[in-house]
Amino acid sequence: MKNYQTLFQSEDGNEAQRQQFLHHLQRILTTLDQKKNSEKTVLGESVQKSSAFYKKLVESSTVNEEGISMKEVVSELMQLLEGHPYQSHNYVTNVIPLSSIPGLLGMFTNMLVNSNSIWDVYGPAATECEVKVISMMSKIVGYDEKRSFGYTTWGGQGAVFNGLRIAIAKQYPNAKEEGVPNNLYCFASENAHYSLLKSIEAVGIGSNHLVRVKANANHEMDLKDLETQMRYVIQNGGVPVYVVATTGTTDSFAIDDVAKIKNITTKLEKEFVLKPIHIHADSALGGFYTFFNDYDFIKNPLQFEEPVKQALVKIQSRMRYIHLADSVCFDFHKLGQTPYTSSLFLVKDGSSLGLLDLEDFDTPYMGNRGYGSYHTSYTLECSRMGSSVAMYAALRAFGKENYQAMLANYVRVNLYFREQLAFQLPEVKVVNPNNVGPITDIRYYPNGSWEEEVNGRSTEAHIEQINAINKAWFEQLGAQRERVFFGDTTRICTVLAKDTKRFIPIAAAKMCTISPYTEVEHVQNFIDALKQTIEQLKDSEAIVF
């Protein structure tokens, strides 16, 4: 008879099984540390994968008749670490964090008891932490914690999607049963995250009913165009139900003006006698800068330098109005520095979640009992991972000040990077100069300039030529990512071509500070890597300047 019980944690807490478990963990942690090199962005050596790599995995992978030993399993797990990206100080590719110790311990604690957020009877650890985190972050945002509520979900898209579900339910309470009307419209900046597009397709509104609002030169939603587009929809029989204001875009850290968006929707609601239009602040990335909403910039207790302080004041001038949105989100697995996936969806009026709730007879095996009082049948997910435990541990360990110091340092590094870039590489331009924060977007110009493009003075052919050069530059940067791991995007924004009058996507490389170990002293590494790859690009026969 197989002794499968040895593959589990002990039932009685005996030391022998605990020590065996700790031994496996120790092997993995030791291997992880042995593969680290603070000057590299990968663990161990990079692993080259052929074009047939995944095909071979498909052909060779099978479940054995007999299980292998735990020693062999752990050895295979350790092999997975080889060549894996790791967030050293040279890792500046995107908002993929180095998970903090409190975040890891919180996630680990939850996994040990497999706490399920769907019901407090099954997951008391997860549900208790969820309620605490909801209250803590409601106060940070500026919501009334006695009225607001929310839950942890699968990512920023989960928040965008569930905000849309609420938006529809507020306008059409019977849509759950009768289906979604065919005249609903959603609005977002052309620079908004594509999660809204997925959400609109999923609920059945249809992607043709997503109105992409023009962005201005600062990559923010153009408010005049928003009002124009909304009026056009209303006057043609459409019903605006959802506006997504991006408060910290993934590519440029642009922050849409929630206060002015709210003014527009309120004005249109009164003028056309509409039900309230739901505004969702997609603050998955930028929302953590609300930690500065009550920071005393005059006393400046953390003694931020003047340029850093002024940058934070600029960010705070927008983030302080995030409480005007009907819902917000926080991706703790971004600037919260917790493991994937840990996102929080907050609703200003928690009672609106009741519009999505199921009846007791629809959930016959949980929730409608005399014991247990926390049943989240309003979530799209049924079983939910207890990521709130990781969030709670991080919030308790960091407190406001550690988050403020870390977030300010991300700004500090970016400001210095921009300064050195202008001095050492004037042919590389910052294309989000007015968006201060943890992200700097750059574009290489062997001829022409960003000012010409953004002001509509470049031809379409010239814009596409610069795009091609920058995409080739991406390849050079990607090839040396083990040294400095930059990010890139093929559409940081769009610009108007002077000859064809078409809006053309702009490709740009990206530096995003996400590692707590990245300091001003490391910026020269980034500049040197850019210089080297530009020289390689110039030597490339594939590019004609």
Side-chain angles (χ1 to χ4, degrees):
M1 181 177 178
K2 296 297 181 182
N3 190 8
Y4 49 78
Q5 293 178 347
T6 60
L7 299 179
F8 291 84
Q9 301 176 63
S10 68
E11 181 183 35
D12 59 2
N14 71 78
E15 184 176 356
Q17 281 183 269
R18 181 171 68 253
Q19 290 301 322
Q20 188 62 41
F21 187 26
L22 291 172
H23 171 70
H24 298 320
L25 291 175
Q26 183 69 29
R27 284 186 66 200
I28 293 173
L29 286 172
T30 299
T31 300
L32 177 71
D33 283 344
Q34 289 172 344
K35 292 181 181 296
K36 291 178 183 177
N37 180 337
S38 62
E39 297 303 319
K40 296 172 63 176
T41 63
V42 298
L43 297 170
E45 299 299 325
S46 295
V47 178
Q48 298 300 319
K49 297 178 180 178
S50 69
S51 58
F53 177 78
Y54 293 104
K55 181 175 181 291
K56 290 180 179 177
L57 290 185
V58 170
E59 293 171 348
S60 62
S61 298
T62 186
V63 179
N64 297 335
E65 287 298 323
E66 294 187 8
I68 63 177
S69 70
M70 279 303 301
K71 181 178 180 180
E72 292 173 290
V73 169
V74 172
S75 294
E76 289 192 11
L77 293 177
M78 292 189 298
Q79 290 173 19
L80 295 175
L81 300 176
E82 189 69 25
H84 201 284
Y86 193 76
Q87 294 84 348
S88 69
H89 60 261
N90 287 331
Y91 186 93
V92 288
T93 180
N94 214 328
V95 280
I96 303 172
L98 180 62
S99 296
S100 63
I101 289 175
L104 287 168
L105 292 175
M107 195 68 80
F108 184 61
T109 300
N110 182 73
M111 289 188 295
L112 287 174
V113 291
N114 212 17
S115 201
N116 186 344
S117 296
I118 193 171
W119 190 21
D120 57 353
V121 173
Y122 293 158
T127 55
E128 287 176 25
C129 285
E130 187 166 83
V131 172
K132 289 177 181 179
V133 170
I134 289 166
S135 175
M136 294 161 84
M137 295 309 295
S138 289
K139 292 167 185 172
I140 292 291
V141 167
Y143 283 171
D144 178 354
E145 74 280 3
K146 298 180 183 65
R147 294 187 62 238
S148 64
F149 210 61
Y151 51 90
T152 58
T153 187
W154 75 81
Q157 186 191 359
V160 168
F161 184 66
N162 287 302
L164 178 55
R165 293 176 68 218
I166 291 175
I168 295 170
K170 288 197 298 187
Q171 296 268 1
Y172 298 96
N174 297 327
K176 285 191 303 178
E177 296 81 16
E178 299 174 2
V180 178
N182 62 5
N183 63 339
L184 307 188
Y185 285 82
C186 303
F187 301 80
S189 165
E190 61 180 332
N191 292 334
H193 195 271
Y194 57 84
S195 57
L196 178 57
L197 179 61
K198 287 185 175 184
S199 300
I200 286 175
E201 293 172 348
V203 298
I205 288 178
S207 59
N208 289 343
H209 286 209
L210 169 58
V211 179
R212 300 178 186 273
V213 181
K214 289 190 298 186
N216 60 27
N218 293 336
H219 309 285
E220 303 160 359
M221 185 187 291
D222 185 302
L223 299 173
K224 183 178 180 181
D225 189 52
L226 172 65
E227 183 170 350
T228 298
Q229 298 272 25
M230 293 186 78
R231 284 184 177 277
Y232 179 82
V233 164
I234 295 167
Q235 290 165 353
N236 285 274
V239 178
V241 294
Y242 198 45
V243 179
V244 173
T246 310
T247 45
T249 57
T250 302
D251 279 336
S252 65
F253 205 70
I255 303 174
D256 292 341
D257 195 326
V258 177
K260 291 183 179 178
I261 291 171
K262 180 66 175 177
N263 288 340
I264 290 171
T265 60
T266 301
K267 179 172 68 173
L268 294 176
E269 288 162 8
K270 291 179 180 178
E271 182 178 342
F272 293 99
V273 194
L274 302 173
K275 291 183 179 180
I277 300 165
H278 189 100
I279 298 174
H280 176 70
D282 185 0
S283 50
L285 171 61
F288 288 90
Y289 280 88
T290 56
F291 277 103
F292 289 98
N293 279 358
D294 62 355
Y295 184 79
D296 190 333
F297 286 103
I298 296 176
K299 293 182 179 179
N300 193 16
L302 297 184
Q303 299 182 327
F304 298 129
E305 314 91 291
E306 191 61 25
V308 174
K309 186 175 78 169
Q310 291 307 315
L312 293 171
V313 168
K314 185 175 182 180
I315 294 171
Q316 191 261 357
S317 69
R318 286 288 178 86
M319 299 307 296
R320 64 191 293 231
Y321 294 110
I322 199 173
H323 69 277
L324 297 174
D326 298 290
S327 56
V328 301
C329 66
F330 290 88
D331 274 2
F332 273 77
H333 58 249
K334 289 188 172 74
L335 296 182
Q337 314 282 162
T338 57
Y340 280 108
T341 303
S342 43
S343 296
L344 180 68
F345 174 55
L346 283 182
V347 185
K348 188 173 187 177
D349 180 5
S351 66
S352 62
L353 291 171
L355 296 170
L356 307 177
D357 217 347
L358 298 176
E359 299 293 341
D360 283 349
F361 64 82
D362 288 321
T363 56
Y365 55 88
M366 63 179 68
N368 51 343
R369 306 286 189 276
Y371 56 93
S373 57
Y374 188 82
H375 179 217
T376 60
S377 55
Y378 43 79
T379 67
L380 184 68
E381 308 100 309
C382 295
S383 298
R384 284 191 301 117
M385 177 183 182
S387 57
S388 56
V389 185
M391 299 179 199
Y392 179 71
L395 288 169
R396 294 291 288 164
F398 278 83
K400 285 184 183 179
E401 289 192 351
N402 274 309
Y403 271 123
Q404 289 168 343
M406 180 178 65
L407 295 168
N409 187 56
Y410 293 157
V411 171
R412 178 182 298 111
V413 171
N414 273 266
L415 290 175
Y416 187 69
F417 174 71
R418 295 180 183 196
E419 175 188 309
Q420 291 303 306
L421 197 67
F423 177 67
Q424 299 188 48
L425 277 172
E427 66 271 36
V428 176
K429 300 296 184 182
V430 175
V431 297
N432 65 329
N434 296 320
N435 307 125
V436 293
I439 299 172
T440 297
D441 301 305
I442 55 178
R443 187 162 159 89
Y444 172 54
Y445 290 92
N447 54 71
S449 70
W450 168 240
E451 288 72 24
E452 290 178 1
E453 288 182 333
V454 76
N455 290 306
R457 299 198 301 268
S458 293
T459 65
E460 182 172 339
H462 186 264
I463 296 169
E464 293 294 14
Q465 179 196 34
I466 300 298
N467 274 341
I469 291 170
N470 276 271
K471 289 174 184 177
W473 189 30
F474 297 170
E475 297 300 321
Q476 297 289 349
L477 290 168
Q480 59 90 70
R481 65 186 181 278
E482 186 174 321
R483 174 186 170 196
V484 178
F485 200 158
F486 288 99
D488 59 68
T489 176
T490 56
R491 189 177 67 83
I492 182 65
C493 64
T494 61
V495 297
L496 184 66
K498 72 175 183 180
D499 53 344
T500 63
K501 302 304 178 183
R502 295 176 62 235
F503 283 92
I504 312 301
I506 291 293
K510 181 166 64 173
M511 189 201 82
C512 175
T513 40
I514 190 63
S515 171
Y517 295 110
T518 304
E519 303 283 354
V520 164
E521 65 195 62
H522 302 124
V523 165
Q524 191 59 46
N525 295 347
F526 311 156
I527 301 294
D528 290 343
L530 296 177
K531 288 180 179 178
Q532 180 182 352
T533 52
I534 287 174
E535 289 305 312
Q536 292 170 345
L537 189 63
K538 290 178 179 179
D539 293 338
S540 171
E541 296 180 359
I543 301 299
V544 178
F545 293 91

